[in-house]
Amino acid sequence: MKNIAKYMAGVLLMGLTMTSCSPESFDGANGSLPSINDYADNFNVTVDQATNIATFTFTGAQGVTPYWVVDGDTENATRSGAFSFTKYWRKKGDHKVECRVLGKNGMSDGAITKTFTIEKTKMNGFGGFDTENNNILKDANLSDFSTWFANSGWAPYDVQPSPKYNNGEISIHWNEVGPDRWQGQFALNNMGITLSKDKKYDFSCIITSTKTHGGFKIKICQQDNDDNLLMDKDFKISEAGEPKCFYATELDGIDASNAKIVFDFGGGQPDTEFLIENLVIVDHELNEIEAPQELAAEFNYNDPKNLWKQIDDEQAFEEGCWYGDAGWGDMGFTPADLKSVHQGAKHTITIPATTVNEQWHAQYSLNLTKGIELPFEGTDKIDFSCHITTSAKLPGATFKLTQADDDNNFFFADRIEIKKGEWVVRYENVPLKKEQAAANIKFVFDFAGAEEGTEITISNITIFKK
Protein backbone atom coordinates (compact mmCIF):
# COMPACT_ATOMS: atom_id res chain seq x y z
CA MET A 1 0.00 0.00 0.00
CA LYS A 2 1.23 3.41 -0.81
CA ASN A 3 1.99 5.61 2.19
CA ILE A 4 0.41 8.55 0.58
CA ALA A 5 -1.59 9.14 -2.65
CA LYS A 6 -2.21 12.58 -4.10
CA TYR A 7 -5.66 13.99 -3.72
CA MET A 8 -5.70 17.73 -3.34
CA ALA A 9 -7.10 19.50 -0.32
CA GLY A 10 -8.34 22.46 -2.40
CA VAL A 11 -6.33 25.53 -1.68
CA LEU A 12 -3.28 24.86 0.50
CA LEU A 13 -2.90 28.34 1.85
CA MET A 14 -5.45 31.11 1.92
CA GLY A 15 -5.10 34.49 3.52
CA LEU A 16 -7.83 36.91 4.37
CA THR A 17 -10.13 37.97 1.55
CA MET A 18 -11.93 41.12 2.60
CA THR A 19 -14.69 43.31 1.25
CA SER A 20 -15.17 46.73 2.76
CA CYS A 21 -18.30 48.61 3.52
CA SER A 22 -18.14 52.21 4.70
CA PRO A 23 -20.05 53.08 7.86
CA GLU A 24 -22.76 55.67 7.69
CA SER A 25 -21.55 59.16 8.49
CA PHE A 26 -21.71 60.43 12.03
CA ASP A 27 -20.95 63.54 14.00
CA GLY A 28 -17.84 64.17 16.06
CA ALA A 29 -16.76 62.46 19.28
CA ASN A 30 -19.06 62.78 22.27
CA GLY A 31 -17.06 60.87 24.86
CA SER A 32 -19.13 57.66 24.90
CA LEU A 33 -17.63 54.33 23.88
CA PRO A 34 -19.90 51.92 21.99
CA SER A 35 -21.23 49.00 24.04
CA ILE A 36 -20.39 45.64 22.42
CA ASN A 37 -23.62 44.15 23.82
CA ASP A 38 -25.57 46.31 21.39
CA TYR A 39 -23.88 44.55 18.46
CA ALA A 40 -23.66 40.93 19.59
CA ASP A 41 -26.11 39.77 16.93
CA ASN A 42 -24.32 41.68 14.15
CA PHE A 43 -21.32 39.31 14.17
CA ASN A 44 -21.65 35.90 12.53
CA VAL A 45 -19.26 33.03 11.72
CA THR A 46 -20.13 30.14 9.41
CA VAL A 47 -17.90 27.24 8.40
CA ASP A 48 -17.98 25.28 5.15
CA GLN A 49 -16.73 21.93 6.44
CA ALA A 50 -16.22 20.64 2.89
CA THR A 51 -13.56 23.29 2.22
CA ASN A 52 -12.38 24.21 5.76
CA ILE A 53 -13.19 27.86 5.01
CA ALA A 54 -14.77 30.05 7.68
CA THR A 55 -16.73 33.14 6.64
CA PHE A 56 -16.91 36.10 9.01
CA THR A 57 -19.67 38.68 8.48
CA PHE A 58 -20.79 41.82 10.25
CA THR A 59 -24.23 43.21 9.53
CA GLY A 60 -23.85 46.93 9.02
CA ALA A 61 -24.79 49.20 11.91
CA GLN A 62 -24.89 52.98 12.01
CA GLY A 63 -21.69 54.68 13.13
CA VAL A 64 -19.48 51.64 13.79
CA THR A 65 -17.14 49.29 11.98
CA PRO A 66 -16.11 45.79 13.11
CA TYR A 67 -12.77 44.81 14.58
CA TRP A 68 -11.83 41.10 14.53
CA VAL A 69 -9.09 39.17 16.34
CA VAL A 70 -8.95 35.57 15.13
CA ASP A 71 -7.23 33.06 17.43
CA GLY A 72 -5.53 35.87 19.36
CA ASP A 73 -3.65 37.15 16.32
CA THR A 74 -3.70 40.85 17.16
CA GLU A 75 -0.83 41.59 14.78
CA ASN A 76 -2.98 40.61 11.82
CA ALA A 77 -6.29 41.79 13.23
CA THR A 78 -8.69 43.30 10.77
CA ARG A 79 -9.02 46.72 12.31
CA SER A 80 -11.70 48.33 10.20
CA GLY A 81 -13.73 47.97 7.08
CA ALA A 82 -13.86 44.17 7.03
CA PHE A 83 -17.58 43.61 7.00
CA SER A 84 -16.98 40.23 5.35
CA PHE A 85 -13.89 38.05 4.97
CA THR A 86 -12.89 34.39 4.79
CA LYS A 87 -10.07 32.35 6.28
CA TYR A 88 -8.86 28.82 5.48
CA TRP A 89 -7.58 26.24 7.97
CA ARG A 90 -5.66 23.17 6.88
CA LYS A 91 -6.02 21.22 10.13
CA LYS A 92 -9.03 20.39 12.22
CA GLY A 93 -9.46 22.11 15.55
CA ASP A 94 -11.38 24.58 17.68
CA HIS A 95 -10.98 28.31 17.05
CA LYS A 96 -12.29 31.57 18.40
CA VAL A 97 -12.71 35.13 17.23
CA GLU A 98 -12.98 38.18 19.47
CA CYS A 99 -15.37 40.73 18.01
CA ARG A 100 -15.34 44.43 18.83
CA VAL A 101 -16.61 47.58 17.16
CA LEU A 102 -15.00 50.93 16.49
CA GLY A 103 -17.06 54.09 16.86
CA LYS A 104 -16.38 57.80 16.76
CA ASN A 105 -14.98 57.75 20.29
CA GLY A 106 -12.87 54.61 19.93
CA MET A 107 -13.17 50.89 20.48
CA SER A 108 -15.99 49.20 22.36
CA ASP A 109 -15.49 48.62 26.05
CA GLY A 110 -15.72 44.83 25.69
CA ALA A 111 -15.67 41.97 23.21
CA ILE A 112 -17.99 39.22 22.06
CA THR A 113 -16.14 35.90 21.64
CA LYS A 114 -17.46 33.39 19.15
CA THR A 115 -16.12 29.85 18.85
CA PHE A 116 -16.22 27.55 15.85
CA THR A 117 -14.78 24.20 14.79
CA ILE A 118 -12.93 22.90 11.74
CA GLU A 119 -14.00 19.26 11.78
CA LYS A 120 -11.44 17.52 9.57
CA THR A 121 -7.83 17.97 8.52
CA LYS A 122 -7.38 18.47 4.79
CA MET A 123 -4.72 16.13 3.48
CA ASN A 124 -2.29 16.49 0.59
CA GLY A 125 -2.46 12.74 0.17
CA PHE A 126 -4.57 9.77 1.24
CA GLY A 127 -6.67 10.82 4.22
CA GLY A 128 -7.27 7.44 5.79
CA PHE A 129 -10.39 5.38 6.35
CA ASP A 130 -13.81 6.59 7.46
CA THR A 131 -13.71 7.66 11.11
CA GLU A 132 -17.49 7.29 11.49
CA ASN A 133 -18.93 4.33 9.58
CA ASN A 134 -17.92 0.92 10.97
CA ASN A 135 -14.94 2.39 12.85
CA ILE A 136 -14.33 0.10 15.81
CA LEU A 137 -12.44 2.93 17.54
CA LYS A 138 -15.23 5.50 17.18
CA ASP A 139 -16.47 5.01 20.75
CA ALA A 140 -13.31 3.48 22.19
CA ASN A 141 -11.51 4.78 25.25
CA LEU A 142 -8.53 6.71 23.88
CA SER A 143 -7.39 8.48 27.01
CA ASP A 144 -5.89 5.73 29.20
CA PHE A 145 -2.21 6.48 28.60
CA SER A 146 1.08 5.02 29.70
CA THR A 147 4.61 6.05 28.72
CA TRP A 148 8.07 4.59 29.19
CA PHE A 149 10.85 6.74 27.74
CA ALA A 150 14.41 5.63 28.48
CA ASN A 151 17.94 6.77 27.69
CA SER A 152 20.59 4.84 25.75
CA GLY A 153 21.36 2.83 28.88
CA TRP A 154 17.72 1.74 29.22
CA ALA A 155 17.22 3.82 32.37
CA PRO A 156 13.83 5.58 32.34
CA TYR A 157 13.88 9.36 32.39
CA ASP A 158 12.81 10.99 35.63
CA VAL A 159 10.36 13.20 33.74
CA GLN A 160 8.09 11.22 31.42
CA PRO A 161 5.96 12.75 28.65
CA SER A 162 2.40 13.73 29.57
CA PRO A 163 0.09 12.88 26.65
CA LYS A 164 -3.09 14.88 26.22
CA TYR A 165 -6.45 13.91 24.75
CA ASN A 166 -8.91 16.37 23.21
CA ASN A 167 -11.92 15.49 21.07
CA GLY A 168 -10.34 12.49 19.39
CA GLU A 169 -6.88 14.02 19.10
CA ILE A 170 -3.91 12.78 21.10
CA SER A 171 -0.77 14.86 21.49
CA ILE A 172 2.48 13.75 23.06
CA HIS A 173 5.60 15.85 23.54
CA TRP A 174 8.94 14.55 24.71
CA ASN A 175 12.10 16.39 25.67
CA GLU A 176 14.36 13.35 25.40
CA VAL A 177 14.17 9.87 23.93
CA GLY A 178 16.71 7.06 23.63
CA PRO A 179 18.30 6.12 20.29
CA ASP A 180 16.99 2.55 20.06
CA ARG A 181 13.73 0.75 19.45
CA TRP A 182 11.41 0.54 22.49
CA GLN A 183 13.12 3.44 24.27
CA GLY A 184 10.18 5.75 23.56
CA GLN A 185 7.03 3.77 24.33
CA PHE A 186 3.55 5.27 24.44
CA ALA A 187 0.41 3.13 24.78
CA LEU A 188 -3.34 3.64 24.47
CA ASN A 189 -4.53 1.12 27.03
CA ASN A 190 -7.83 -0.59 27.79
CA MET A 191 -9.58 0.78 24.74
CA GLY A 192 -12.52 -1.54 25.36
CA ILE A 193 -12.65 -3.01 21.86
CA THR A 194 -12.74 -6.65 20.79
CA LEU A 195 -11.25 -8.28 17.70
CA SER A 196 -11.77 -11.66 16.04
CA LYS A 197 -9.32 -14.03 14.37
CA ASP A 198 -12.04 -14.87 11.83
CA LYS A 199 -11.83 -11.39 10.29
CA LYS A 200 -9.32 -9.19 8.54
CA TYR A 201 -8.88 -5.57 9.59
CA ASP A 202 -7.71 -2.27 8.14
CA PHE A 203 -6.02 0.41 10.24
CA SER A 204 -5.27 4.09 9.64
CA CYS A 205 -4.40 7.25 11.53
CA ILE A 206 -3.12 10.73 10.72
CA ILE A 207 0.06 11.91 12.40
CA THR A 208 1.73 15.30 12.36
CA SER A 209 5.20 15.61 13.86
CA THR A 210 7.16 18.76 14.59
CA LYS A 211 10.33 16.93 13.49
CA THR A 212 11.23 14.12 11.12
CA HIS A 213 11.60 10.59 12.42
CA GLY A 214 13.65 7.89 10.72
CA GLY A 215 11.54 5.02 11.99
CA PHE A 216 8.77 4.70 14.57
CA LYS A 217 6.52 1.74 15.31
CA ILE A 218 2.77 1.20 15.65
CA LYS A 219 1.69 -2.03 17.31
CA ILE A 220 -1.85 -3.30 18.01
CA CYS A 221 -2.25 -6.23 20.39
CA GLN A 222 -4.18 -7.70 23.32
CA GLN A 223 -3.89 -5.52 26.44
CA ASP A 224 -2.28 -8.22 28.59
CA ASN A 225 -0.45 -10.14 25.85
CA ASP A 226 1.98 -8.24 23.64
CA ASP A 227 2.54 -11.35 21.54
CA ASN A 228 -1.12 -11.57 20.50
CA LEU A 229 -0.60 -9.19 17.58
CA LEU A 230 -2.93 -7.66 15.05
CA MET A 231 -0.25 -5.33 13.69
CA ASP A 232 3.43 -4.58 14.22
CA LYS A 233 4.65 -2.13 11.58
CA ASP A 234 7.39 0.47 11.16
CA PHE A 235 6.81 3.87 9.59
CA LYS A 236 8.83 7.04 9.15
CA ILE A 237 8.20 10.79 9.10
CA SER A 238 10.02 12.36 6.18
CA GLU A 239 8.53 15.85 6.43
CA ALA A 240 8.03 17.83 9.62
CA GLY A 241 4.78 19.70 10.15
CA GLU A 242 2.96 17.82 7.38
CA PRO A 243 -0.09 15.70 8.32
CA LYS A 244 0.40 12.21 6.92
CA CYS A 245 -1.74 9.09 6.91
CA PHE A 246 -0.21 5.84 8.14
CA TYR A 247 -2.14 2.67 7.44
CA ALA A 248 -2.18 -1.06 6.88
CA THR A 249 -4.79 -3.29 5.25
CA GLU A 250 -5.99 -6.87 5.37
CA LEU A 251 -4.40 -7.52 8.73
CA ASP A 252 -4.99 -11.08 9.94
CA GLY A 253 -7.39 -10.91 12.84
CA ILE A 254 -6.74 -12.03 16.40
CA ASP A 255 -9.04 -12.99 19.24
CA ALA A 256 -8.66 -10.00 21.55
CA SER A 257 -11.01 -9.15 24.40
CA ASN A 258 -9.41 -5.77 25.08
CA ALA A 259 -7.00 -4.35 22.51
CA LYS A 260 -4.41 -1.63 22.96
CA ILE A 261 -2.30 0.45 20.54
CA VAL A 262 1.38 0.94 21.28
CA PHE A 263 3.58 3.56 19.62
CA ASP A 264 7.34 3.49 19.93
CA PHE A 265 9.31 6.66 19.17
CA GLY A 266 12.76 5.33 20.07
CA GLY A 267 15.42 6.88 17.86
CA GLY A 268 13.52 10.15 17.50
CA GLN A 269 14.83 13.67 17.90
CA PRO A 270 14.68 15.60 21.19
CA ASP A 271 11.98 18.20 21.78
CA THR A 272 9.42 16.64 19.42
CA GLU A 273 5.65 16.65 19.48
CA PHE A 274 3.39 14.13 17.73
CA LEU A 275 -0.29 14.84 17.06
CA ILE A 276 -2.26 11.64 16.44
CA GLU A 277 -5.79 11.88 15.07
CA ASN A 278 -8.43 10.04 13.02
CA LEU A 279 -7.64 6.62 14.50
CA VAL A 280 -9.52 3.90 12.65
CA ILE A 281 -9.77 0.11 12.90
CA VAL A 282 -12.36 -1.34 10.55
CA ASP A 283 -13.43 -4.80 9.45
CA HIS A 284 -11.86 -5.10 5.99
CA GLU A 285 -15.11 -6.47 4.53
CA LEU A 286 -17.00 -3.38 5.73
CA ASN A 287 -14.41 -0.83 4.60
CA GLU A 288 -15.79 1.21 1.72
CA ILE A 289 -12.60 3.23 1.17
CA GLU A 290 -9.86 1.74 -1.00
CA ALA A 291 -6.35 2.49 0.20
CA PRO A 292 -3.68 3.44 -2.34
CA GLN A 293 -0.98 0.94 -3.18
CA GLU A 294 1.60 0.74 -0.40
CA LEU A 295 5.17 1.68 -1.13
CA ALA A 296 7.88 -0.82 -0.42
CA ALA A 297 10.49 0.36 2.06
CA GLU A 298 13.40 2.18 0.48
CA PHE A 299 16.97 1.45 1.43
CA ASN A 300 18.87 4.36 2.96
CA TYR A 301 20.07 6.51 0.06
CA ASN A 302 22.49 8.41 2.32
CA ASP A 303 24.19 5.27 3.63
CA PRO A 304 27.94 5.55 2.90
CA LYS A 305 27.77 2.11 1.29
CA ASN A 306 25.38 3.33 -1.42
CA LEU A 307 27.40 2.97 -4.63
CA TRP A 308 25.16 5.27 -6.64
CA LYS A 309 25.26 8.36 -4.41
CA GLN A 310 28.68 9.39 -5.73
CA ILE A 311 27.29 9.11 -9.26
CA ASP A 312 24.53 11.59 -8.36
CA ASP A 313 26.82 13.89 -6.38
CA GLU A 314 29.21 14.29 -9.30
CA GLN A 315 26.61 13.79 -12.04
CA ALA A 316 28.98 11.18 -13.42
CA PHE A 317 26.53 9.86 -15.98
CA GLU A 318 25.62 10.45 -19.59
CA GLU A 319 21.99 10.27 -20.66
CA GLY A 320 20.75 8.22 -23.56
CA CYS A 321 17.34 7.59 -25.10
CA TRP A 322 15.68 5.68 -27.91
CA TYR A 323 12.04 5.94 -28.93
CA GLY A 324 10.59 3.64 -31.55
CA ASP A 325 7.33 3.66 -33.49
CA ALA A 326 5.04 0.64 -33.87
CA GLY A 327 7.32 -0.78 -36.56
CA TRP A 328 10.46 -0.22 -34.42
CA GLY A 329 11.53 2.73 -36.52
CA ASP A 330 13.66 5.31 -34.69
CA MET A 331 11.49 8.34 -33.82
CA GLY A 332 14.61 10.51 -33.68
CA PHE A 333 14.39 11.81 -30.14
CA THR A 334 17.51 12.83 -28.23
CA PRO A 335 17.95 13.18 -24.43
CA ALA A 336 17.33 16.92 -24.83
CA ASP A 337 13.77 16.16 -25.98
CA LEU A 338 13.03 14.61 -22.59
CA LYS A 339 13.58 17.99 -20.85
CA SER A 340 15.59 16.22 -18.18
CA VAL A 341 16.39 17.94 -14.91
CA HIS A 342 18.85 16.62 -12.33
CA GLN A 343 18.85 17.91 -8.79
CA GLY A 344 20.62 15.99 -6.05
CA ALA A 345 19.10 12.52 -5.89
CA LYS A 346 16.34 13.33 -8.39
CA HIS A 347 16.31 12.65 -12.14
CA THR A 348 13.20 14.08 -13.82
CA ILE A 349 12.17 13.55 -17.45
CA THR A 350 9.11 14.40 -19.53
CA ILE A 351 7.74 11.89 -22.04
CA PRO A 352 8.09 13.53 -25.52
CA ALA A 353 5.54 11.34 -27.35
CA THR A 354 3.08 8.54 -26.67
CA THR A 355 4.41 5.24 -27.99
CA VAL A 356 2.81 1.85 -28.39
CA ASN A 357 2.41 -0.02 -25.13
CA GLU A 358 5.11 -2.56 -25.89
CA GLN A 359 8.34 -2.95 -23.94
CA TRP A 360 11.45 -1.06 -25.07
CA HIS A 361 9.65 1.51 -27.27
CA ALA A 362 10.43 4.42 -24.88
CA GLN A 363 13.92 3.97 -23.48
CA TYR A 364 15.90 6.32 -21.26
CA SER A 365 19.30 5.43 -19.82
CA LEU A 366 21.94 6.61 -17.39
CA ASN A 367 25.34 5.49 -18.67
CA LEU A 368 28.46 5.63 -16.51
CA THR A 369 30.92 7.13 -18.98
CA LYS A 370 32.30 10.10 -17.04
CA GLY A 371 35.14 8.69 -15.00
CA ILE A 372 33.36 6.65 -12.33
CA GLU A 373 32.75 2.96 -12.94
CA LEU A 374 30.81 0.41 -10.91
CA PRO A 375 32.39 -3.01 -11.53
CA PHE A 376 30.89 -6.29 -10.29
CA GLU A 377 32.09 -9.85 -10.10
CA GLY A 378 29.93 -12.61 -11.45
CA THR A 379 29.30 -13.86 -7.92
CA ASP A 380 28.26 -10.47 -6.51
CA LYS A 381 24.72 -9.83 -5.31
CA ILE A 382 23.08 -6.49 -4.61
CA ASP A 383 20.27 -4.83 -2.69
CA PHE A 384 18.59 -2.09 -4.71
CA SER A 385 15.81 0.48 -4.42
CA CYS A 386 14.65 3.65 -6.16
CA HIS A 387 11.64 5.93 -5.81
CA ILE A 388 9.37 6.76 -8.76
CA THR A 389 6.91 9.64 -8.95
CA THR A 390 4.75 10.00 -12.06
CA SER A 391 2.15 12.59 -13.07
CA ALA A 392 0.11 9.98 -15.00
CA LYS A 393 -0.31 6.22 -15.08
CA LEU A 394 2.58 4.22 -16.55
CA PRO A 395 1.02 1.17 -18.28
CA GLY A 396 4.39 -0.55 -18.24
CA ALA A 397 7.65 0.63 -16.69
CA THR A 398 10.86 -1.36 -16.94
CA PHE A 399 13.88 -0.94 -14.68
CA LYS A 400 16.99 -2.71 -15.94
CA LEU A 401 20.33 -2.54 -14.18
CA THR A 402 22.69 -4.28 -16.56
CA GLN A 403 26.27 -4.80 -17.67
CA ALA A 404 27.26 -1.80 -19.76
CA ASP A 405 28.39 -3.84 -22.79
CA ASP A 406 26.14 -6.89 -22.44
CA ASP A 407 22.39 -6.35 -22.12
CA ASN A 408 21.88 -10.03 -21.31
CA ASN A 409 23.89 -9.89 -18.09
CA PHE A 410 21.63 -7.90 -15.77
CA PHE A 411 20.56 -7.80 -12.16
CA PHE A 412 16.87 -7.22 -12.93
CA ALA A 413 14.69 -6.19 -15.88
CA ASP A 414 11.06 -6.38 -14.76
CA ARG A 415 8.16 -4.49 -16.35
CA ILE A 416 5.44 -3.28 -13.97
CA GLU A 417 2.37 -1.07 -14.12
CA ILE A 418 2.56 2.07 -11.98
CA LYS A 419 -0.47 4.17 -11.13
CA LYS A 420 -0.34 7.94 -11.03
CA GLY A 421 1.55 8.95 -7.91
CA GLU A 422 4.45 7.14 -6.29
CA TRP A 423 6.11 3.76 -6.35
CA VAL A 424 9.21 2.17 -4.86
CA VAL A 425 11.16 -0.41 -6.87
CA ARG A 426 13.04 -2.72 -4.52
CA TYR A 427 15.16 -5.85 -4.96
CA GLU A 428 17.09 -7.80 -2.37
CA ASN A 429 20.05 -10.12 -2.79
CA VAL A 430 19.84 -10.33 -6.60
CA PRO A 431 22.73 -11.71 -8.72
CA LEU A 432 23.83 -10.99 -12.27
CA LYS A 433 21.80 -13.06 -14.71
CA LYS A 434 24.79 -14.69 -16.47
CA GLU A 435 26.97 -14.66 -13.35
CA GLN A 436 29.76 -13.13 -15.39
CA ALA A 437 31.95 -10.20 -14.33
CA ALA A 438 30.81 -6.74 -15.44
CA ALA A 439 33.50 -4.06 -15.73
CA ASN A 440 30.78 -1.40 -15.55
CA ILE A 441 27.00 -1.12 -15.46
CA LYS A 442 24.29 1.12 -16.88
CA PHE A 443 20.72 1.83 -15.84
CA VAL A 444 18.05 1.54 -18.54
CA PHE A 445 14.43 2.61 -18.05
CA ASP A 446 11.56 2.01 -20.43
CA PHE A 447 8.22 3.82 -20.22
CA ALA A 448 6.52 2.49 -23.35
CA GLY A 449 2.87 3.47 -23.60
CA ALA A 450 3.17 6.47 -21.25
CA GLU A 451 1.22 9.51 -22.36
CA GLU A 452 3.02 12.44 -23.95
CA GLY A 453 3.75 15.10 -21.33
CA THR A 454 3.94 12.65 -18.41
CA GLU A 455 6.53 13.85 -15.93
CA ILE A 456 8.52 11.09 -14.24
CA THR A 457 10.99 11.52 -11.39
CA ILE A 458 13.45 8.77 -10.55
CA SER A 459 15.04 9.43 -7.18
CA ASN A 460 17.03 7.89 -4.33
CA ILE A 461 18.77 5.28 -6.49
CA THR A 462 20.45 3.01 -3.96
CA ILE A 463 22.80 0.08 -4.68
CA PHE A 464 24.45 -1.98 -1.95
CA LYS A 465 26.98 -4.65 -2.90
CA LYS A 466 26.49 -7.69 -0.66
Side-chain angles (χ1 to χ4, degrees):
M1 300 274 117
K2 171 178 150 187
N3 283 340
I4 188 162
K6 306 293 181 188
Y7 77 78
M8 298 306 295
V11 288
L12 295 180
L13 180 63
M14 189 170 186
L16 300 182
T17 306
M18 296 176 285
T19 57
S20 297
C21 180
S22 299
E24 296 180 24
S25 61
F26 53 85
D27 296 329
N30 60 16
S32 298
L33 295 174
S35 173
I36 191 61
N37 294 327
D38 295 338
Y39 303 97
D41 295 335
N42 296 74
F43 291 92
N44 290 283
V45 183
T46 58
V47 179
D48 184 344
Q49 299 295 351
T51 62
N52 283 21
I53 294 175
T55 300
F56 304 80
T57 56
F58 179 78
T59 304
Q62 184 175 6
V64 294
T65 55
Y67 177 93
W68 313 80
V69 178
V70 181
D71 288 337
D73 187 2
T74 55
E75 182 176 346
N76 295 308
T78 305
R79 301 185 185 285
S80 61
F83 281 70
S84 178
F85 68 94
T86 59
K87 184 173 175 61
Y88 169 79
W89 276 267
R90 169 83 182 278
K91 301 174 185 177
K92 81 173 189 179
D94 297 325
H95 302 274
K96 67 178 182 179
V97 56
E98 294 180 1
C99 311
R100 294 178 172 84
V101 293
L102 289 166
K104 58 186 177 182
N105 296 309
M107 188 177 294
S108 57
D109 55 359
I112 295 294
T113 299
K114 293 184 177 290
T115 60
F116 55 97
T117 299
I118 302 297
E119 295 178 352
K120 293 184 179 181
T121 296
K122 291 293 182 183
M123 301 292 293
N124 278 339
F126 176 56
F129 304 124
D130 193 337
T131 58
E132 296 294 325
N133 296 325
N134 303 310
N135 179 15
I136 297 170
L137 295 176
K138 179 181 178 181
D139 297 318
N141 174 25
L142 300 178
S143 59
D144 183 355
F145 304 134
S146 63
T147 60
W148 192 84
F149 277 59
N151 61 25
S152 58
W154 294 96
Y157 294 110
D158 292 336
V159 178
Q160 292 286 313
S162 298
K164 296 179 175 60
Y165 176 86
N166 179 36
N167 193 28
E169 293 182 352
I170 301 158
S171 61
I172 178 170
H173 173 270
W174 64 83
N175 294 317
E176 298 177 287
V177 63
D180 295 326
R181 174 64 75 230
W182 300 123
Q183 291 180 341
Q185 299 179 43
F186 164 53
L188 305 179
N189 298 302
N190 299 307
M191 296 189 299
I193 65 167
T194 60
L195 304 171
S196 171
K197 69 177 181 180
D198 296 326
K199 297 180 179 181
K200 289 185 179 292
Y201 295 93
D202 297 341
F203 166 82
S204 69
C205 68
I206 294 173
I207 294 177
T208 310
S209 173
T210 56
K211 294 184 179 179
T212 60
H213 198 304
F216 70 96
K217 182 181 287 292
I218 303 177
K219 176 178 175 178
I220 305 173
C221 59
Q222 168 69 15
Q223 176 67 41
D224 55 359
N225 184 357
D226 287 351
D227 295 324
N228 188 17
L229 282 168
L230 176 71
M231 179 177 124
D232 187 351
K233 191 173 176 66
D234 290 330
F235 301 96
K236 67 179 181 179
I237 299 283
S238 56
E239 188 173 356
E242 177 69 18
K244 184 175 181 180
C245 179
F246 298 93
Y247 61 94
T249 62
E250 297 190 69
L251 299 165
D252 291 332
I254 59 172
D255 284 333
S257 60
N258 185 16
K260 66 178 177 180
I261 301 178
V262 181
F263 297 83
D264 179 64
F265 304 116
Q269 300 187 60
D271 190 22
T272 298
E273 182 169 345
F274 264 53
L275 176 67
I276 304 165
E277 57 186 310
N278 289 24
L279 281 157
V280 177
I281 297 176
V282 58
D283 182 338
H284 179 72
E285 293 297 322
L286 301 178
N287 191 359
E288 298 179 354
I289 297 178
E290 182 180 357
Q293 189 67 35
E294 186 178 15
L295 296 179
E298 296 179 52
F299 291 112
N300 182 3
Y301 173 81
N302 292 307
D303 190 304
K305 297 189 295 293
N306 178 14
L307 300 177
W308 192 270
K309 190 172 187 303
Q310 185 182 5
I311 305 297
D312 279 343
D313 289 344
E314 301 187 24
Q315 293 201 7
F317 52 82
E318 182 178 358
E319 296 173 286
C321 78
W322 188 88
Y323 275 63
D325 60 25
W328 294 100
D330 189 347
M331 298 174 69
F333 291 116
T334 68
D337 296 310
L338 276 64
K339 302 176 183 177
S340 60
V341 177
H342 305 282
Q343 184 176 20
K346 296 181 178 180
H347 306 258
T348 301
I349 62 170
T350 302
I351 299 298
T354 304
T355 64
V356 295
N357 183 15
E358 185 179 355
Q359 194 177 30
W360 303 124
H361 278 77
Q363 299 179 41
Y364 169 68
S365 60
L366 297 173
N367 306 287
L368 306 187
T369 58
K370 291 188 174 181
I372 299 177
E373 296 180 346
L374 296 181
F376 291 90
E377 298 297 328
T379 56
D380 285 338
K381 295 182 179 181
I382 66 168
D383 288 344
F384 168 87
S385 68
C386 72
H387 193 113
I388 306 299
T389 304
T390 175
S391 64
K393 176 183 175 181
L394 304 178
T398 302
F399 305 85
K400 184 174 182 179
L401 189 65
T402 183
Q403 181 176 333
D405 54 358
D406 185 350
D407 289 341
N408 294 314
N409 192 28
F410 54 85
F411 286 104
F412 46 81
D414 296 313
R415 189 172 195 245
I416 57 177
E417 177 184 309
I418 298 178
K419 296 179 181 180
K420 177 182 177 180
E422 299 176 79
W423 188 260
V424 170
V425 180
R426 174 177 167 133
Y427 292 92
E428 294 184 53
N429 209 38
V430 290
L432 281 162
K433 182 77 171 179
K434 294 171 66 174
E435 297 186 350
Q436 295 178 1
N440 201 7
I441 60 168
K442 63 181 177 181
F443 208 156
V444 182
F445 309 88
D446 180 69
F447 302 115
E451 295 180 2
E452 179 180 350
T454 300
E455 186 176 273
I456 302 167
T457 298
I458 306 154
S459 61
N460 294 358
I461 297 172
T462 304
I463 303 171
F464 295 147
K465 185 183 292 188
K466 305 301 287 286

